[in-house]
Amino acid sequence: MININSQVRFWILVGIVAISGYSQGMLLPLIAIIFEEDGLSSSLNGFHATALYIGVLLVSPFMEGVLRKVGYKPIILTGGIAVVLSIALFPIWKSFWFWFVLRLIIGIGDHMLHFGTQTWITYLSPANKRGRNLSLYGLFFGLGFAAGPYMTRLVHVNEALPFIVASLVSLAGWLTVWLLKNEFPEKTTEKDSFFSTFKRFNQVFKYAWVAFLPPFGYGFLEASLNGNFPVYALRNGIDVSGVSIILPSFAIGGIIFQLPLGMLSDYFGRKHVLTTIMLLGFVSFTSAGLLQDSVIGLTISFFIAGMLVGSTFSLGISYMADLLPRELLPAGNLMCGIFYSIGSISGPFIGGLAIQFLPEGSFFYCLSLMLLFIFIALTLFRVEHTTEAKASG
């Protein structure tokens, strides 16, 4: 085994996350485009996309016990190879349900990969660098996710080509994990079992429930903006070219300010930074509702909103780690992923109801009210217990 120092290990883990983001960022629009061109209804197209998040929710209750028994490396390797093989199998048989099962497996594999890397990075990071390190984790996932859609144009060369390229890139990243030495999370006094995992979930929720709201909010926002906003914009007279300018501005804002916000949270405290960005995010989406007929106005509002709340997933993980003892970090990381998935599933549904039944502008006000709710919860929350050096304000 090659001796890998902690810095190299960190960058290998971050690189794996970037490749995972790339494959997810490619698959979402690619499959949607293929199904749209084949004449599949938008409702079935949207249902198909939920397979990823269903996979996350199905596997989550079992992940913590497995991680404690086998360690980080086997979890990441298993999740990575599941993603590689599933992506490679897409061209074999073009079928709605076969592809649904493959996306379900990718959801499970990606969650294993993210859970392993995320928890490992959380353990590796001292409290005074936790925000920085986890913001780099979020930044590289965001960069990969943003690069993924550019591969969709390969579908016009050959429908199988983007899947082949993505599987080869994922395989290359997977191979680097073999260089790492396996490690284990800190032991607990309880015997590991399916029921002890739920007992730890209960402990984690008691002490750190507020830290799961930012990941929920990010999943809600990301899925709503990608799934609902194009429909909302087209119905309100903004053409496809306008949507293609407005929508990426949110992601760009998040990518540019991911690292600075993480570093600010190390300095000023996670709670202070989170409450500030949630309040300003509420103002940004309220402004978007008032400027809904202006492409320039919406682009600026989306960029500012992304700049503020595009880091809420990684900041939520950092805050969770501040609030919990180290032996509960695997369960805490799992719950961050669960709440993100719940937000990702509920966001497009609630956003769709707002577009269908409420007056103009209600879609944006729905997003802003959700951020206001999280701001209020963060403001009212009082720390009951923490074993970490205080970085939560």
PDB file of all heavy atoms in Angstrom, residues 185-210:
ATOM      1  N   PRO A 185     -14.812   4.805  11.597  1.00  0.00           N
ATOM      2  CA  PRO A 185     -15.280   5.863  12.512  1.00  0.00           C
ATOM      3  C   PRO A 185     -15.079   5.443  13.957  1.00  0.00           C
ATOM      4  O   PRO A 185     -14.833   4.267  14.238  1.00  0.00           O
ATOM      5  CB  PRO A 185     -16.766   6.000  12.167  1.00  0.00           C
ATOM      6  CG  PRO A 185     -17.145   4.675  11.595  1.00  0.00           C
ATOM      7  CD  PRO A 185     -15.925   4.159  10.883  1.00  0.00           C
ATOM      8  N   GLU A 186     -15.196   6.402  14.872  1.00  0.00           N
ATOM      9  CA  GLU A 186     -15.032   6.094  16.290  1.00  0.00           C
ATOM     10  C   GLU A 186     -16.126   5.129  16.761  1.00  0.00           C
ATOM     11  O   GLU A 186     -17.276   5.207  16.349  1.00  0.00           O
ATOM     12  CB  GLU A 186     -15.075   7.377  17.116  1.00  0.00           C
ATOM     13  CG  GLU A 186     -13.832   8.222  16.936  1.00  0.00           C
ATOM     14  CD  GLU A 186     -13.757   9.360  17.938  1.00  0.00           C
ATOM     15  OE1 GLU A 186     -14.567   9.373  18.896  1.00  0.00           O
ATOM     16  OE2 GLU A 186     -12.897  10.224  17.756  1.00  0.00           O
ATOM     17  N   LYS A 187     -15.710   4.217  17.635  1.00  0.00           N
ATOM     18  CA  LYS A 187     -16.638   3.213  18.155  1.00  0.00           C
ATOM     19  C   LYS A 187     -17.624   3.834  19.142  1.00  0.00           C
ATOM     20  O   LYS A 187     -17.315   4.809  19.819  1.00  0.00           O
ATOM     21  CB  LYS A 187     -15.863   2.095  18.862  1.00  0.00           C
ATOM     22  CG  LYS A 187     -14.909   1.315  17.962  1.00  0.00           C
ATOM     23  CD  LYS A 187     -15.682   0.440  16.995  1.00  0.00           C
ATOM     24  CE  LYS A 187     -14.729  -0.412  16.150  1.00  0.00           C
ATOM     25  NZ  LYS A 187     -15.470  -1.222  15.159  1.00  0.00           N
ATOM     26  N   THR A 188     -18.808   3.236  19.201  1.00  0.00           N
ATOM     27  CA  THR A 188     -19.781   3.630  20.224  1.00  0.00           C
ATOM     28  C   THR A 188     -19.853   2.522  21.270  1.00  0.00           C
ATOM     29  O   THR A 188     -19.362   1.408  21.057  1.00  0.00           O
ATOM     30  CB  THR A 188     -21.182   3.824  19.609  1.00  0.00           C
ATOM     31  OG1 THR A 188     -21.636   2.571  19.068  1.00  0.00           O
ATOM     32  CG2 THR A 188     -21.154   4.861  18.510  1.00  0.00           C
ATOM     33  N   THR A 189     -20.462   2.822  22.395  1.00  0.00           N
ATOM     34  CA  THR A 189     -20.589   1.827  23.465  1.00  0.00           C
ATOM     35  C   THR A 189     -21.670   0.796  23.148  1.00  0.00           C
ATOM     36  O   THR A 189     -21.700  -0.284  23.739  1.00  0.00           O
ATOM     37  CB  THR A 189     -20.934   2.522  24.796  1.00  0.00           C
ATOM     38  OG1 THR A 189     -22.098   3.328  24.613  1.00  0.00           O
ATOM     39  CG2 THR A 189     -19.771   3.406  25.255  1.00  0.00           C
ATOM     40  N   GLU A 190     -22.557   1.135  22.193  1.00  0.00           N
ATOM     41  CA  GLU A 190     -23.657   0.231  21.853  1.00  0.00           C
ATOM     42  C   GLU A 190     -23.227  -0.782  20.792  1.00  0.00           C
ATOM     43  O   GLU A 190     -22.352  -0.513  19.975  1.00  0.00           O
ATOM     44  CB  GLU A 190     -24.856   1.023  21.318  1.00  0.00           C
ATOM     45  CG  GLU A 190     -25.426   2.018  22.310  1.00  0.00           C
ATOM     46  CD  GLU A 190     -26.470   2.912  21.661  1.00  0.00           C
ATOM     47  OE1 GLU A 190     -26.590   2.860  20.419  1.00  0.00           O
ATOM     48  OE2 GLU A 190     -27.146   3.646  22.376  1.00  0.00           O
ATOM     49  N   LYS A 191     -23.869  -1.929  20.807  1.00  0.00           N
ATOM     50  CA  LYS A 191     -23.660  -2.928  19.770  1.00  0.00           C
ATOM     51  C   LYS A 191     -24.319  -2.444  18.477  1.00  0.00           C
ATOM     52  O   LYS A 191     -25.455  -1.963  18.497  1.00  0.00           O
ATOM     53  CB  LYS A 191     -24.271  -4.262  20.201  1.00  0.00           C
ATOM     54  CG  LYS A 191     -23.993  -5.395  19.222  1.00  0.00           C
ATOM     55  CD  LYS A 191     -24.599  -6.699  19.728  1.00  0.00           C
ATOM     56  CE  LYS A 191     -24.347  -7.822  18.729  1.00  0.00           C
ATOM     57  NZ  LYS A 191     -24.967  -9.103  19.179  1.00  0.00           N
ATOM     58  N   ASP A 192     -23.601  -2.571  17.355  1.00  0.00           N
ATOM     59  CA  ASP A 192     -24.138  -2.109  16.080  1.00  0.00           C
ATOM     60  C   ASP A 192     -25.246  -3.024  15.590  1.00  0.00           C
ATOM     61  O   ASP A 192     -25.068  -4.242  15.488  1.00  0.00           O
ATOM     62  CB  ASP A 192     -23.024  -2.033  15.022  1.00  0.00           C
ATOM     63  CG  ASP A 192     -22.047  -0.908  15.302  1.00  0.00           C
ATOM     64  OD1 ASP A 192     -22.501   0.156  15.751  1.00  0.00           O
ATOM     65  OD2 ASP A 192     -20.837  -1.100  15.094  1.00  0.00           O
ATOM     66  N   SER A 193     -26.387  -2.448  15.281  1.00  0.00           N
ATOM     67  CA  SER A 193     -27.511  -3.187  14.722  1.00  0.00           C
ATOM     68  C   SER A 193     -28.427  -2.206  14.011  1.00  0.00           C
ATOM     69  O   SER A 193     -28.266  -0.984  14.125  1.00  0.00           O
ATOM     70  CB  SER A 193     -28.291  -3.909  15.827  1.00  0.00           C
ATOM     71  OG  SER A 193     -28.979  -2.981  16.636  1.00  0.00           O
ATOM     72  N   PHE A 194     -29.406  -2.756  13.303  1.00  0.00           N
ATOM     73  CA  PHE A 194     -30.371  -1.929  12.601  1.00  0.00           C
ATOM     74  C   PHE A 194     -31.119  -1.023  13.583  1.00  0.00           C
ATOM     75  O   PHE A 194     -31.336   0.155  13.326  1.00  0.00           O
ATOM     76  CB  PHE A 194     -31.359  -2.834  11.853  1.00  0.00           C
ATOM     77  CG  PHE A 194     -32.394  -2.102  11.039  1.00  0.00           C
ATOM     78  CD1 PHE A 194     -32.064  -1.541   9.817  1.00  0.00           C
ATOM     79  CD2 PHE A 194     -33.697  -1.972  11.490  1.00  0.00           C
ATOM     80  CE1 PHE A 194     -33.009  -0.864   9.057  1.00  0.00           C
ATOM     81  CE2 PHE A 194     -34.646  -1.303  10.741  1.00  0.00           C
ATOM     82  CZ  PHE A 194     -34.300  -0.754   9.522  1.00  0.00           C
ATOM     83  N   PHE A 195     -31.474  -1.576  14.762  1.00  0.00           N
ATOM     84  CA  PHE A 195     -32.239  -0.809  15.752  1.00  0.00           C
ATOM     85  C   PHE A 195     -31.371   0.216  16.467  1.00  0.00           C
ATOM     86  O   PHE A 195     -31.843   1.302  16.811  1.00  0.00           O
ATOM     87  CB  PHE A 195     -32.883  -1.769  16.758  1.00  0.00           C
ATOM     88  CG  PHE A 195     -33.904  -2.684  16.131  1.00  0.00           C
ATOM     89  CD1 PHE A 195     -33.603  -4.014  15.888  1.00  0.00           C
ATOM     90  CD2 PHE A 195     -35.147  -2.202  15.741  1.00  0.00           C
ATOM     91  CE1 PHE A 195     -34.544  -4.857  15.288  1.00  0.00           C
ATOM     92  CE2 PHE A 195     -36.091  -3.032  15.143  1.00  0.00           C
ATOM     93  CZ  PHE A 195     -35.778  -4.358  14.914  1.00  0.00           C
ATOM     94  N   SER A 196     -30.084  -0.104  16.682  1.00  0.00           N
ATOM     95  CA  SER A 196     -29.205   0.875  17.329  1.00  0.00           C
ATOM     96  C   SER A 196     -28.973   2.083  16.425  1.00  0.00           C
ATOM     97  O   SER A 196     -28.777   3.203  16.902  1.00  0.00           O
ATOM     98  CB  SER A 196     -27.868   0.236  17.717  1.00  0.00           C
ATOM     99  OG  SER A 196     -27.129  -0.154  16.576  1.00  0.00           O
ATOM    100  N   THR A 197     -29.013   1.858  15.106  1.00  0.00           N
ATOM    101  CA  THR A 197     -28.904   2.979  14.168  1.00  0.00           C
ATOM    102  C   THR A 197     -30.057   3.951  14.371  1.00  0.00           C
ATOM    103  O   THR A 197     -29.857   5.170  14.424  1.00  0.00           O
ATOM    104  CB  THR A 197     -28.896   2.468  12.707  1.00  0.00           C
ATOM    105  OG1 THR A 197     -27.696   1.733  12.480  1.00  0.00           O
ATOM    106  CG2 THR A 197     -28.966   3.622  11.717  1.00  0.00           C
ATOM    107  N   PHE A 198     -31.288   3.426  14.502  1.00  0.00           N
ATOM    108  CA  PHE A 198     -32.440   4.296  14.714  1.00  0.00           C
ATOM    109  C   PHE A 198     -32.378   4.982  16.080  1.00  0.00           C
ATOM    110  O   PHE A 198     -32.825   6.120  16.233  1.00  0.00           O
ATOM    111  CB  PHE A 198     -33.745   3.503  14.565  1.00  0.00           C
ATOM    112  CG  PHE A 198     -34.158   3.336  13.135  1.00  0.00           C
ATOM    113  CD1 PHE A 198     -33.792   2.208  12.421  1.00  0.00           C
ATOM    114  CD2 PHE A 198     -34.887   4.318  12.483  1.00  0.00           C
ATOM    115  CE1 PHE A 198     -34.157   2.052  11.096  1.00  0.00           C
ATOM    116  CE2 PHE A 198     -35.255   4.176  11.158  1.00  0.00           C
ATOM    117  CZ  PHE A 198     -34.892   3.044  10.455  1.00  0.00           C
ATOM    118  N   LYS A 199     -31.786   4.303  17.063  1.00  0.00           N
ATOM    119  CA  LYS A 199     -31.602   4.931  18.374  1.00  0.00           C
ATOM    120  C   LYS A 199     -30.647   6.121  18.256  1.00  0.00           C
ATOM    121  O   LYS A 199     -30.876   7.182  18.842  1.00  0.00           O
ATOM    122  CB  LYS A 199     -31.062   3.904  19.362  1.00  0.00           C
ATOM    123  CG  LYS A 199     -31.002   4.412  20.791  1.00  0.00           C
ATOM    124  CD  LYS A 199     -30.544   3.322  21.744  1.00  0.00           C
ATOM    125  CE  LYS A 199     -30.469   3.856  23.168  1.00  0.00           C
ATOM    126  NZ  LYS A 199     -29.991   2.818  24.118  1.00  0.00           N
ATOM    127  N   ARG A 200     -29.582   5.940  17.463  1.00  0.00           N
ATOM    128  CA  ARG A 200     -28.635   7.039  17.248  1.00  0.00           C
ATOM    129  C   ARG A 200     -29.276   8.153  16.432  1.00  0.00           C
ATOM    130  O   ARG A 200     -28.997   9.333  16.657  1.00  0.00           O
ATOM    131  CB  ARG A 200     -27.352   6.521  16.596  1.00  0.00           C
ATOM    132  CG  ARG A 200     -26.444   5.782  17.571  1.00  0.00           C
ATOM    133  CD  ARG A 200     -25.079   5.494  16.969  1.00  0.00           C
ATOM    134  NE  ARG A 200     -25.114   4.427  15.988  1.00  0.00           N
ATOM    135  CZ  ARG A 200     -24.972   3.140  16.280  1.00  0.00           C
ATOM    136  NH1 ARG A 200     -24.801   2.753  17.532  1.00  0.00           N
ATOM    137  NH2 ARG A 200     -25.000   2.223  15.337  1.00  0.00           N
ATOM    138  N   PHE A 201     -30.123   7.789  15.460  1.00  0.00           N
ATOM    139  CA  PHE A 201     -30.871   8.812  14.719  1.00  0.00           C
ATOM    140  C   PHE A 201     -31.677   9.691  15.681  1.00  0.00           C
ATOM    141  O   PHE A 201     -31.742  10.916  15.528  1.00  0.00           O
ATOM    142  CB  PHE A 201     -31.833   8.162  13.720  1.00  0.00           C
ATOM    143  CG  PHE A 201     -31.191   7.727  12.430  1.00  0.00           C
ATOM    144  CD1 PHE A 201     -31.907   6.992  11.496  1.00  0.00           C
ATOM    145  CD2 PHE A 201     -29.879   8.038  12.133  1.00  0.00           C
ATOM    146  CE1 PHE A 201     -31.343   6.592  10.303  1.00  0.00           C
ATOM    147  CE2 PHE A 201     -29.287   7.637  10.940  1.00  0.00           C
ATOM    148  CZ  PHE A 201     -30.024   6.910  10.029  1.00  0.00           C
ATOM    149  N   ASN A 202     -32.293   9.060  16.679  1.00  0.00           N
ATOM    150  CA  ASN A 202     -33.094   9.787  17.661  1.00  0.00           C
ATOM    151  C   ASN A 202     -32.222  10.741  18.482  1.00  0.00           C
ATOM    152  O   ASN A 202     -32.601  11.901  18.715  1.00  0.00           O
ATOM    153  CB  ASN A 202     -33.800   8.792  18.580  1.00  0.00           C
ATOM    154  CG  ASN A 202     -34.739   9.482  19.558  1.00  0.00           C
ATOM    155  OD1 ASN A 202     -35.605  10.250  19.160  1.00  0.00           O
ATOM    156  ND2 ASN A 202     -34.553   9.220  20.846  1.00  0.00           N
ATOM    157  N   GLN A 203     -31.032  10.278  18.883  1.00  0.00           N
ATOM    158  CA  GLN A 203     -30.101  11.131  19.619  1.00  0.00           C
ATOM    159  C   GLN A 203     -29.639  12.310  18.763  1.00  0.00           C
ATOM    160  O   GLN A 203     -29.590  13.457  19.221  1.00  0.00           O
ATOM    161  CB  GLN A 203     -28.881  10.316  20.068  1.00  0.00           C
ATOM    162  CG  GLN A 203     -29.147   9.303  21.153  1.00  0.00           C
ATOM    163  CD  GLN A 203     -27.890   8.519  21.467  1.00  0.00           C
ATOM    164  OE1 GLN A 203     -27.376   7.763  20.631  1.00  0.00           O
ATOM    165  NE2 GLN A 203     -27.371   8.689  22.666  1.00  0.00           N
ATOM    166  N   VAL A 204     -29.293  11.996  17.519  1.00  0.00           N
ATOM    167  CA  VAL A 204     -28.815  13.022  16.595  1.00  0.00           C
ATOM    168  C   VAL A 204     -29.887  14.079  16.375  1.00  0.00           C
ATOM    169  O   VAL A 204     -29.613  15.282  16.404  1.00  0.00           O
ATOM    170  CB  VAL A 204     -28.408  12.373  15.245  1.00  0.00           C
ATOM    171  CG1 VAL A 204     -28.273  13.417  14.155  1.00  0.00           C
ATOM    172  CG2 VAL A 204     -27.099  11.612  15.395  1.00  0.00           C
ATOM    173  N   PHE A 205     -31.115  13.634  16.159  1.00  0.00           N
ATOM    174  CA  PHE A 205     -32.205  14.588  15.906  1.00  0.00           C
ATOM    175  C   PHE A 205     -32.456  15.465  17.132  1.00  0.00           C
ATOM    176  O   PHE A 205     -32.740  16.659  16.999  1.00  0.00           O
ATOM    177  CB  PHE A 205     -33.485  13.836  15.520  1.00  0.00           C
ATOM    178  CG  PHE A 205     -34.547  14.724  14.941  1.00  0.00           C
ATOM    179  CD1 PHE A 205     -34.487  15.128  13.613  1.00  0.00           C
ATOM    180  CD2 PHE A 205     -35.596  15.180  15.731  1.00  0.00           C
ATOM    181  CE1 PHE A 205     -35.458  15.964  13.078  1.00  0.00           C
ATOM    182  CE2 PHE A 205     -36.570  16.022  15.208  1.00  0.00           C
ATOM    183  CZ  PHE A 205     -36.498  16.409  13.879  1.00  0.00           C
ATOM    184  N   LYS A 206     -32.349  14.889  18.316  1.00  0.00           N
ATOM    185  CA  LYS A 206     -32.570  15.640  19.548  1.00  0.00           C
ATOM    186  C   LYS A 206     -31.601  16.815  19.669  1.00  0.00           C
ATOM    187  O   LYS A 206     -31.991  17.927  20.020  1.00  0.00           O
ATOM    188  CB  LYS A 206     -32.435  14.714  20.756  1.00  0.00           C
ATOM    189  CG  LYS A 206     -32.606  15.424  22.093  1.00  0.00           C
ATOM    190  CD  LYS A 206     -32.385  14.464  23.251  1.00  0.00           C
ATOM    191  CE  LYS A 206     -32.480  15.197  24.587  1.00  0.00           C
ATOM    192  NZ  LYS A 206     -32.215  14.291  25.741  1.00  0.00           N
ATOM    193  N   TYR A 207     -30.316  16.574  19.370  1.00  0.00           N
ATOM    194  CA  TYR A 207     -29.298  17.586  19.594  1.00  0.00           C
ATOM    195  C   TYR A 207     -29.025  18.478  18.380  1.00  0.00           C
ATOM    196  O   TYR A 207     -28.528  19.586  18.533  1.00  0.00           O
ATOM    197  CB  TYR A 207     -27.990  16.924  20.031  1.00  0.00           C
ATOM    198  CG  TYR A 207     -28.085  16.228  21.362  1.00  0.00           C
ATOM    199  CD1 TYR A 207     -27.774  14.880  21.480  1.00  0.00           C
ATOM    200  CD2 TYR A 207     -28.500  16.917  22.496  1.00  0.00           C
ATOM    201  CE1 TYR A 207     -27.869  14.235  22.711  1.00  0.00           C
ATOM    202  CE2 TYR A 207     -28.597  16.280  23.725  1.00  0.00           C
ATOM    203  CZ  TYR A 207     -28.278  14.935  23.827  1.00  0.00           C
ATOM    204  OH  TYR A 207     -28.373  14.305  25.035  1.00  0.00           O
ATOM    205  N   ALA A 208     -29.320  17.988  17.166  1.00  0.00           N
ATOM    206  CA  ALA A 208     -28.876  18.724  15.973  1.00  0.00           C
ATOM    207  C   ALA A 208     -29.958  18.861  14.909  1.00  0.00           C
ATOM    208  O   ALA A 208     -29.635  19.068  13.739  1.00  0.00           O
ATOM    209  CB  ALA A 208     -27.644  18.041  15.380  1.00  0.00           C
ATOM    210  N   TRP A 209     -31.244  18.783  15.301  1.00  0.00           N
ATOM    211  CA  TRP A 209     -32.317  18.815  14.304  1.00  0.00           C
ATOM    212  C   TRP A 209     -32.253  20.056  13.415  1.00  0.00           C
ATOM    213  O   TRP A 209     -32.528  19.991  12.211  1.00  0.00           O
ATOM    214  CB  TRP A 209     -33.684  18.743  14.984  1.00  0.00           C
ATOM    215  CG  TRP A 209     -33.985  19.872  15.927  1.00  0.00           C
ATOM    216  CD1 TRP A 209     -33.747  19.904  17.262  1.00  0.00           C
ATOM    217  CD2 TRP A 209     -34.566  21.147  15.598  1.00  0.00           C
ATOM    218  NE1 TRP A 209     -34.128  21.115  17.800  1.00  0.00           N
ATOM    219  CE2 TRP A 209     -34.642  21.895  16.804  1.00  0.00           C
ATOM    220  CE3 TRP A 209     -35.024  21.725  14.411  1.00  0.00           C
ATOM    221  CZ2 TRP A 209     -35.157  23.186  16.851  1.00  0.00           C
ATOM    222  CZ3 TRP A 209     -35.537  23.013  14.453  1.00  0.00           C
ATOM    223  CH2 TRP A 209     -35.606  23.733  15.655  1.00  0.00           C
ATOM    224  N   VAL A 210     -31.837  21.168  13.979  1.00  0.00           N
ATOM    225  CA  VAL A 210     -31.837  22.418  13.212  1.00  0.00           C
ATOM    226  C   VAL A 210     -30.796  22.380  12.090  1.00  0.00           C
ATOM    227  O   VAL A 210     -30.962  23.048  11.061  1.00  0.00           O
ATOM    228  CB  VAL A 210     -31.595  23.623  14.152  1.00  0.00           C
ATOM    229  CG1 VAL A 210     -30.126  23.727  14.572  1.00  0.00           C
ATOM    230  CG2 VAL A 210     -32.069  24.915  13.514  1.00  0.00           C
TER     231      VAL A 210
END
